[in-house]
Every structure is written in structure tokens, then in C-alpha cells.
Amino acid sequence: DQQVKQNSPSLSVQEGRISILNCDYTNSMFDYFLWYKKYPAEGPTFLISISSIKDKNEDGRFTVFLNKSAKHLSLHIVPSQPGDSAVYFCAAFDSGSARQLTFGSGTQLTVLP
Amino acid sequence: EAGVTQFPSHSVIEKGQTVTLRCDPISGHDNLYWYRRVMGKEIKFLLHFVKESKQDESGMPNNRFLAERTGGTYSTLKVQPAELEDSGVYFCASSPLHRGWGEQYFGPGTRLTVT
């Protein structure tokens, strides 16, 4: 039973426009959420995170929004660039018990020039 | 500073054979994790070391998988005997001991193909 779900396997966006990647979770014990970016033949690279006590975290072109009541988070990339084309994984972390990350299945983002 | 390294990058073996994957974490990182991604699905946790001790191996699929971390440095993951369903990309990750909010540093992965 997947505790973190990314329901869109792929997303195509025009360069310069906004990319919105979505993620849902079921475990209310998760208190940190992270986004990782993965290029082919490379490992996932940390992008941005958010604590469950916040509803927004921004870092340059990347903003993560958290809606705890809906158990939903999203990653916004503005403006999107061709170099952003990669697989984006949503991950969740329970700092109180298990130390592993629980990942979604990823969304392939393609930014078209 | 060197990142997490994994060897080999790709391994092709026949069903029933044995394969050993190696991970070298970032120097000084006491936490070491193994994950696996199968067939483009989610990245799944296998186990977690703190230094040389297994902290959590709840994600290990069965007793054909054996992980070790000698002296709290590098780690190996042995699959014996390999089955077709073991094919996938095996990632290793590491983090400092008291990184409380989850950020982990991943290696490039080992792609295992069992034929």
C-alpha cells in the first residue's frame, strides 16, 4: 500500500511557463516532505523540503506548498527551463520513528523549448 | 568532497547466480541506506545502518538479500541466489547522524539485470 502517491507519471510544459507537480500522502505521522530530482543514470538529488508546521517554502524558482488537511503537497517551478526536464520524486519522512524516506513513483517533467 | 559512490554501475547476471553491490558513503556520514527502484515504480526502502549496526531492515524482501557494513564505512549488499524479480536499480544513500529532517545524499545507483 503506497503511502506517498504521485498520480501523474508525466508532465509536459512550455519553457517559461509554470510546472506544477503534485503529491498525496496517507500517513499523518509524516512531518517532513522532500522533493528530489533525478536525471537519467544519476541518483536522486535533493531539491527542496518543507516541514509539516509550514504551508509554503520557497527557494528561487522552486516553491513547495503543503496542505495538511488534504494530505497534499505540490512543487511549483517558475519559470520552467529545459534543464528542469527530469524525474521528480516526492518523499516523506517521519522524524519520530523510522528514518527512511518513503517515495512516490515519480513524475517525468519535460520542458519544451 | 566526494559524493556517495556505488560499484558496479551495471551488472547483468543469470538467475541463480550471486551478485554483490558496494556502496561508499560520504566520509563521516554514519547513516547509510539502501533503496531499490523496480520497473519505474517508486523508490523503496530496503535497510538502514547507523555506523556498523543495522537499525532497520524491514524493507529487505527476503533472506536472499544480505547487507553488511564493515567497520561502519562502506557497505555491501549481496543477492544470493538472484531471481528475475530482483532486477532494478539499487541506490545507496547516506546522511550525517543527526540530520533530523530527512535529507539524504544518493549515489548514482547500480542497475541489476537478472536474466
Side-chain angles (χ1 to χ4, degrees), chain A residues 22-95:
Chain A
N22 293 303
C23 177
D24 297 291
Y25 64 96
T26 58
N27 188 342
S28 57
M29 298 304 294
F30 292 141
D31 54 354
Y32 288 95
F33 302 90
L34 302 86
W35 285 92
Y36 277 80
K37 176 178 176 180
K38 185 185 175 308
Y39 292 117
E42 295 183 10
T45 303
F46 170 74
L47 187 59
I48 191 170
S49 66
I50 188 166
S51 160
S52 60
I53 63 172
K54 296 187 174 182
D55 55 18
K56 177 182 175 181
N57 187 27
E58 194 170 351
D59 183 2
R61 298 186 296 112
F62 303 91
T63 303
V64 57
F65 295 92
L66 175 62
N67 182 334
K68 278 184 64 178
S69 61
K71 293 190 173 66
H72 176 84
L73 62 154
S74 61
L75 174 68
H76 292 211
I77 306 173
V78 182
S80 301
Q81 300 173 353
D84 296 330
S85 297
V87 178
Y88 289 78
F89 289 96
C90 171
F93 183 73
D94 172 4
S95 66

Side-chain angles (χ1 to χ4, degrees), chain B residues 11-21 36-39 61-66 78-90 111-115:
Chain B
S11 178
V12 181
I13 62 172
E14 292 184 353
K15 177 182 170 180
Q17 289 186 322
T18 298
V19 63
T20 300
L21 314 180
R36 177 174 74 172
R37 189 181 190 209
V38 174
M39 290 286 290
N62 51 61
N63 59 10
R64 296 185 292 104
F65 290 75
L66 175 65
K78 182 193 288 189
V79 184
Q80 179 183 30
E83 297 289 345
L84 297 178
E85 64 264 25
D86 300 333
S87 295
V89 182
Y90 290 76
R111 180 173 294 277
L112 175 63
T113 303
V114 182
T115 61

Side-chain angles (χ1 to χ4, degrees), chain A residues 2 32 34 36 38 41-44 46 49 87 89 93 95 98-101 103-105, chain B residues 33 35 37 40-43 45 48 56 58 91 97 99-104 106-108:
Chain A
Q2 266 192 283
Y32 288 95
L34 302 86
Y36 277 80
K38 185 185 175 308
E42 295 183 10
F46 170 74
S49 66
V87 178
F89 289 96
F93 183 73
S95 66
R99 306 298 290 180
Q100 73 265 31
L101 292 169
F103 283 90
S105 53
Chain B
Y33 306 83
Y35 293 86
R37 189 181 190 209
K41 295 187 178 178
E42 72 270 26
I43 300 170
F45 167 78
H48 170 210
D56 180 358
S58 62
F91 293 105
L97 186 60
R99 180 61 57 88
W101 52 272
E103 182 187 2
Q104 297 172 13
F106 281 77

